[in-house]
Amino acid sequence: YSMTGWRIGWLIAPDHLSDPINRLNQNLFISAPTMSQRAALAALQPAAVNELEAHVARYDKNRKVVLDGLRRMGVADVAPANGAFYVYFSLSSFGVCDSAALCAAALEEVGVAFTPGIDFEC
């Protein structure tokens, strides 16, 4: 429902601030904020169906752009991307075996930020 930033998030901060930020987080995210609850209620009403279907169509179009781009670049090892706004793929056939290092290099060298898949693994 286009509320991804309202329900989850992440933060990059200096190591020495990790513990204070975690303590603050534990107190802020015990339950969803009132604004998020009201927005979710409105999003679940029948009047919102057309808008939500338009979001799904837009995400589908964007997904196809990304998957087509990966295919054109020769990236063949791609996990099915059916229902999420992210794509998992392997670049090991290109000699890339450290996704965190790749992400750091992309940010430093070309100013593009993305998150390594390992951040989402248990």
Side-chain angles (χ1 to χ4, degrees):
Y1 297 121
S2 299
M3 293 174 51
T4 56
W6 291 14
R7 64 179 175 88
I8 62 170
W10 52 275
L11 173 72
I12 298 173
D15 287 341
H16 72 278
L17 294 178
S18 181
D19 287 338
I21 289 171
N22 281 333
R23 285 194 296 276
L24 182 60
N25 262 347
Q26 291 169 355
N27 290 293
L28 291 176
F29 299 110
I30 292 172
S31 62
T34 302
M35 179 186 269
S36 296
Q37 292 179 35
R38 290 184 179 171
L41 182 60
L44 295 172
Q45 298 304 309
V49 170
N50 289 339
E51 183 175 346
L52 296 174
E53 287 175 351
H55 284 268
V56 170
R58 187 170 34 251
Y59 281 129
D60 184 53
K61 182 179 177 183
N62 292 343
R63 178 184 64 87
K64 289 174 181 173
V65 167
V66 170
L67 293 175
D68 184 56
L70 290 170
R71 182 189 53 75
R72 286 185 287 119
M73 291 187 310
V75 178
D77 190 3
V78 181
N82 302 324
F85 53 85
Y86 47 83
V87 177
Y88 282 97
F89 54 91
S90 174
L91 297 176
S92 59
S93 63
F94 296 93
V96 177
C97 298
D98 185 341
S99 61
L102 173 68
C103 291
L107 182 59
E108 179 69 27
E109 296 173 20
V110 294
V112 174
F114 54 101
T115 303
I118 195 166
D119 284 356
F120 298 96
E121 296 176 3
C122 296

